[in-house]
Amino acid sequence: MELKYTPEQEAFRQEVRAWMKANVPKEPLQDFDTEEGFKQHRAWEAKLNEGGWGMVTWPRELGGRGCNLIEWLIFEEEYWGAGAPLRVNQNGIFLLGPTLMEYGTEEQKKRFLPRMASCADMWAQAWSEPGAGSDMAAIRTKAVRQGDHYVINGQKTWSTRARWADWAFGIFRTDPDSERHHGLSYILLPLNLPGITIRPIRQLNGLAGFAEIFFDDVKVPVENLLGTEGGGWNVAMATAGFERGLMLRSPARYQETARRLVQLYLANREEADRDPSIREAVLKAWMDAEAYTLSTYRTASKLVNGAKIGPESSTNKIFWSELDIQMHDTAMRILGPRAELLPEAPDAGDVGTWLDGFLFSQAGTIYAGSNEIQRNIIAERMLGMPR
Amino acid sequence: MDFTFSEDQIAFREAMHSFFAKELPLEAIRKNWETEAGHAPELQARIAEQGLFGLSVPEDFGGLGLSDVDWVQMTQELGYSALPDYVVDTAYVAVGLLNALPAGHALAAEWLPRIAEGGARVAVGHPSQKLVADADSADLLLLSHQGELHAVAGSAVKTVLNPSIDLSRRPCRVEWTPGAETRVLDAAAAAPLWEDALNRGALAAAGQIMGQILRMLDISVAYTSERKQFGKPIGSFQAVKHHLATVAVKAEFAKPVLERAAQAMASGDPARGVHVSHAKLACGDAGWLAARSGIQVHGGMGYTWEVDLQIFMKRAWVLDAAWGDRAFHKNRVAAHVLSANALLGAGKTFI
Ligand SMILES: Cc1cc2nc3c(=O)[nH]c(=O)nc-3n(C[C@H](O)[C@H](O)[C@H](O)COP(=O)(O)OP(=O)(O)OC[C@H]3O[C@@H](n4cnc5c(N)ncnc54)[C@H](O)[C@@H]3O)c2cc1C
C-alpha cells in the first residue's frame, strides 16, 4: 500500500490541469436538455476531444490516451475540479464504449469509438420498455431477421437524451419464440432510420431529458449486431456492470458537491445551526464523499493489479445514489424557504444549481438498476443468500 | 498510488484467520467468560508463538517490526474471532507507546522483548479513559497523571473491576500513587505520545468492529439460509435480504477508510488524526447497523443468550465508545472540514 502519486502521475495531473484551465468555458453552459444547451455541450465535447481528452482510458488508435484507471481518476479530479461541464454523451463513452471494447469487432470499434469520443455520434441507451423496467428480461420489442437486415417493431421508453441522440444501443428479441433472457440481441442503430418516432418526455425540472422511441418496421443491417445473435443478455449485463461499477460516477463529482455544501453551510451558518442536525449532515457528506473516493481508488488499484471486479460493484451504485440524495437534502435544508427558487429568481441569492441537483438526485436510486434490485444482487451474489 | 496489500500481508492475515478459527471456537469464548480473568492464559502463549505480540516490536527487540498497515489487517481478524482487549492493547497500543519513547529508553529495552516473547501484558490508561481495560491482569500499566506518562508495575496498583455486559471486557478502576519514580515523561513530552496512543487505540477498535461486522454478516447469512418459515428459508425473502445487503454496503465503504487511516498512521501523515476519526465513525456506524440488523433477521433467537451473534454485537457496541467516543471523533473531523483553510474537493484526498 502506497497512497502517493508517482512523479508521472503528478506530471499527468499538471498536464490535465493546464489544459482545463486554458479551455474550460468561463461561463457555465446552458442545460443540455435544451436545444441551445445541447449545441454548446456538443461543441465542448468536440473541443475536449481535440485536446486529446475525449476518453482517456481508450487506446490511442481509437481516439484515447491509453491511461490506466488511476490516471483516469486523476483526470476526472482535474475535470471536476476545474468546473468543466457534465459529459453529455455519458451513455456512449461510459457504458457502450467499454462494452464495445470487450465485445465489438475490430471494425465496429474503429467505426464507433473515435466518433463517440468526440461526440460526433451522440448515443442513447434503449433498454427499458413500458413492460420491462426492473424486469429487463421481459423485453418484447422484436428484431426479426430478414436476409441481411433486422426488422424492428415495438417501443422503448425512458431513453435518456434520445431526443438529441444520433444512435441508440439496445436489446431486442431476435427469436420471437424465446422467453426471458434467451433469444435477445444487442443491436446498434441510427435514430434517423425510417419508421422511428421519438416522443420526448418532460422530467421533474420541466425539460425533456428522456424520451420514448417507437419502432415501426425499422430496418437495421445485421452488421450492427454487437456480440452474437441471441447472446444479447450477457453483453447487456457487461454494460450494466459498467453502469453500476466504476465508470458512470467518478468520485470527483461528489467531492465537489461536498465541498460546495461545506461552503454553503459556512456561508449560512448562523441560520443553519438553528437545526443542530445540519452540521452533522454536512460532515457526513464530506466523510461519505471521501469514503467513495477511497473505495474507488481501492477498486481501481485492484483492477490495475489484474483483479476482476465482482458483484461488490452493486454496492457502488447504492452508495453514490444515496450519498447524492443525502447531500442535496442537506443543501435544501440549509437554504430553507429559498430552496424553491429557480436560480434566475430576483431574490435567489446563493441558491445556485442546488434545486436542479436535488431533483436529479431523486432519480439516482431508480436508474442504472433500482437500488432494490441492487440489494437483491448484493444479497444473492455477494453474500450468497438463497434465491 | 496503490491501495492493495502485498501477498505477504494477505497470507499473514489468512494464516491468523485459520489459526483463530481453530484455537478460538465460539464455545471457547463462552468458556473463557466463566474464568476469573475472562480469558485463558494458554491462548496467550499460543498467540505469542504465532508472532502476533511481536508484530510491531522492532526486530532489534525480538519482534517483526511491521507497521500499522499490517495491524489493520490483523485487528479485523481479532474482531472476527472476538479476541479480548488485552491482545491489541498490549501488542499494538502499548508497543506503539514504548516504541515512541526517546531512543534508548530503559523502559522500552526492558519491556519490548518481554512482550514480543508473549510473556507480558501491558494495560494502557489513556488520559481520556476513566477505566482501564484488563488492568487487573497487567504486568505493567502505562498510566496518565495530569498528562504525564507513568509506568507502574501491576503489583503496585489496586484495581476495582467493573462488570460489563460484554463478559470478555475487564474495565477496571485503578488506584495508584504517582511519583517521581513512576514518571516516564512530563506532560509536554508525553502529549504527542498520548495522541498517537489514542489514534492506535481508535484504529484498532475500528478494525475490530469491522471484523465483528464481517462475522455478524456470516452468522446472519448462515442462520437465514437455514431457518424456514412459510416453507422457505427466510433468507430468500426480500425484506430479510435487504437488511443484510444494506449492512454489506456500509461495511464495503468503511473498509477503505479504515485502511487509509492505517496507512496515514504508518507514514506519519500530519492529518492522521482526522483519518482515524473518520475510520472510527465509519466502522462504528456500520457496526451498530450490523448488530441491529443481525438481531432483526434472527427474530426471537436474536434476543437470546444462546445465539452467537450476541458475542460480536456486544463487542461492536462497547468498542464504538472506547478510545474516544463519537462526540470526540466527530469534533475532530469537524475541526478539519470546517476550518477556513481546509483542503476540500476533487483531487484533495491524498494531499
Ligand atoms: C432519469 C432516468 C434516466 C433513465 N435513462 C434510461 C435510459 O437511458 N435508457 C433506459 O433504457 N432506461 C432508462 N431509465 C429507466 C430505468 O432504467 C428504469 O426506470 C428502472 O430500471 C426501473 O424500471 P421502471 O421504471 O419500470 O420501474 P419498476 O420496475 O416498475 O419499479 C418500480 C419500483 O418497484 C421496485 N421493484 C420492481 N421490481 C422489484 C423487485 N423484483 N424487487 C424489489 N423491488 C422491485 C423498483 O425498485 C422501484 O422502486 C431511466 C430512468 C430514469 C429515472
Side-chain angles (χ1 to χ4, degrees), chain A residues 328-354:
Chain A
H328 285 94
D329 280 359
T330 307
M332 297 300 272
R333 290 200 290 140
I334 294 173
L335 290 168
R338 262 188 308 143
E340 67 173 297
L341 301 181
L342 300 182
E344 63 270 23
D347 294 305
D350 59 354
V351 298
T353 53
W354 286 110

Side-chain angles (χ1 to χ4, degrees), chain A residues 1-2 4-5 77 255-256 259 279-280 286-287 290 295 298 301 316 372 375-376 380 386-387, chain B residues 1-5 221 236 238 241-242 246 253 259-260 278 330-331 334 337 344 346-347 349-350:
Chain A
M1 187 175 295
E2 176 69 49
K4 278 204 188 85
Y5 298 103
E77 286 168 357
Q255 289 192 291
E256 280 302 301
R259 180 184 65 75
R279 173 176 173 273
E280 179 151 10
W286 178 79
M287 285 193 279
E290 191 78 352
S295 172
R298 187 172 184 258
S301 295
N316 249 26
E372 285 76 21
R375 284 191 163 83
N376 292 348
E380 286 163 17
R387 275 167 195 269
Chain B
M1 181 66 61
D2 179 17
F3 223 119
T4 59
F5 291 97
V221 168
S236 66
Q238 209 166 49
K241 281 192 172 128
H242 286 195
T246 302
F253 284 87
E259 291 165 3
R260 194 273 283 273
H278 185 186
K330 277 182 193 166
N331 284 323
V337 175
L344 309 176
T349 301
F350 298 108

Side-chain angles (χ1 to χ4, degrees), chain A residues 21-337:
Chain A
K21 192 160 183 244
N23 291 284
V24 168
K26 302 283 172 278
E27 289 291 310
L29 307 187
Q30 289 179 39
D31 197 307
F32 49 41
D33 292 329
T34 63
E35 186 147 20
E36 178 55 28
F38 179 69
K39 270 196 215 133
Q40 293 175 350
H41 276 81
R42 199 165 205 171
W44 159 248
E45 300 259 348
K47 186 172 187 184
L48 193 65
N49 191 57
E50 275 162 33
W53 308 106
M55 200 52 204
V56 294
T57 54
W58 295 358
R60 286 186 184 272
E61 61 274 18
L62 295 173
R65 210 172 252 265
C67 288
N68 72 18
L69 287 173
I70 302 288
E71 290 157 338
W72 169 69
L73 282 165
I74 294 170
F75 169 79
E76 289 284 308
E77 286 168 357
E78 292 305 317
Y79 188 90
W80 289 96
L86 279 164
R87 300 296 296 268
V88 70
N89 202 7
Q90 32 180 304
N91 281 334
I93 54 181
F94 297 142
L95 308 183
L96 178 60
T99 315
L100 268 168
M101 215 67 86
E102 208 167 305
Y103 289 92
T105 62
E106 286 312 308
E107 198 278 325
Q108 285 174 327
K109 288 185 210 175
K110 285 201 199 100
R111 180 170 162 213
F112 294 117
L113 290 171
R115 290 180 60 81
M116 193 185 287
S118 66
C119 205
D121 293 334
M122 159 84 188
W123 286 83
Q125 182 185 42
W127 286 1
S128 302
E129 295 181 7
S134 299
D135 184 9
M136 218 169 67
I139 277 175
R140 285 170 43 196
T141 299
K142 286 194 185 66
V144 179
R145 184 148 176 181
Q146 287 180 7
D148 54 1
H149 280 82
Y150 291 108
V151 178
I152 303 186
N153 278 290
Q155 180 195 348
K156 297 284 177 179
T157 190
W158 314 134
S159 192
T160 295
R161 282 180 287 291
R163 184 181 179 193
W164 315 116
D166 308 290
W167 282 77
F169 58 97
I171 42 178
F172 300 88
R173 203 160 281 288
T174 39
D175 175 358
D177 300 325
S178 63
E179 282 190 29
R180 308 294 302 159
H181 53 275
H182 303 285
L184 296 169
S185 299
Y186 200 120
I187 295 173
L188 315 174
L189 57 109
L191 282 172
N192 59 1
L193 292 176
I196 291 182
T197 311
I198 292 174
R199 190 181 76 83
I201 307 173
R202 280 174 11 138
Q203 298 181 336
L204 284 187
N205 65 1
L207 298 175
F210 46 34
E212 285 175 297
I213 310 175
F214 298 91
F215 299 89
D216 182 14
D217 280 336
V218 176
K219 278 176 78 182
V220 180
V222 289
E223 70 206 40
N224 287 10
L225 177 73
L226 180 57
T228 57
E229 187 175 295
W233 183 257
N234 285 342
V235 188
M237 286 303 107
T239 307
F242 297 122
E243 190 165 18
R244 289 158 202 162
L246 284 193
M247 282 294 179
L248 186 67
R249 291 286 180 261
S250 68
R253 173 175 184 160
Y254 303 100
Q255 289 192 291
E256 280 302 301
T257 309
R259 180 184 65 75
R260 289 194 297 117
L261 185 65
V262 170
Q263 281 179 345
L264 183 74
Y265 167 70
L266 290 175
N268 295 278
R269 190 165 187 172
E270 223 168 284
E271 274 282 293
D273 278 343
R274 288 169 49 240
D275 173 352
S277 70
I278 286 185
R279 173 176 173 273
E280 179 151 10
V282 171
L283 296 176
K284 184 168 161 29
W286 178 79
M287 285 193 279
D288 285 355
E290 191 78 352
Y292 184 57
T293 308
L294 293 167
S295 172
T296 311
Y297 269 97
R298 187 172 184 258
T299 309
S301 295
K302 284 190 193 167
L303 295 175
V304 166
N305 281 295
K308 280 222 168 277
I309 194 165
E312 68 272 16
S313 69
S314 283
T315 62
N316 249 26
K317 204 267 133 163
I318 292 180
F319 198 81
W320 62 247
S321 58
E322 293 184 352
L323 167 61
D324 206 33
I325 288 183
Q326 192 257 332
M327 290 199 285
H328 285 94
D329 280 359
T330 307
M332 297 300 272
R333 290 200 290 140
I334 294 173
L335 290 168

Side-chain angles (χ1 to χ4, degrees), chain B residues 52-76:
Chain B
L52 191 63
F53 280 100
L55 194 76
S56 51
V57 171
E59 285 172 284
D60 287 351
F61 291 122
L64 298 170
L66 300 179
S67 79
D68 305 272
V69 173
D70 299 277
W71 270 108
V72 84
Q73 294 280 71
M74 226 31 66
T75 53
Q76 292 177 64

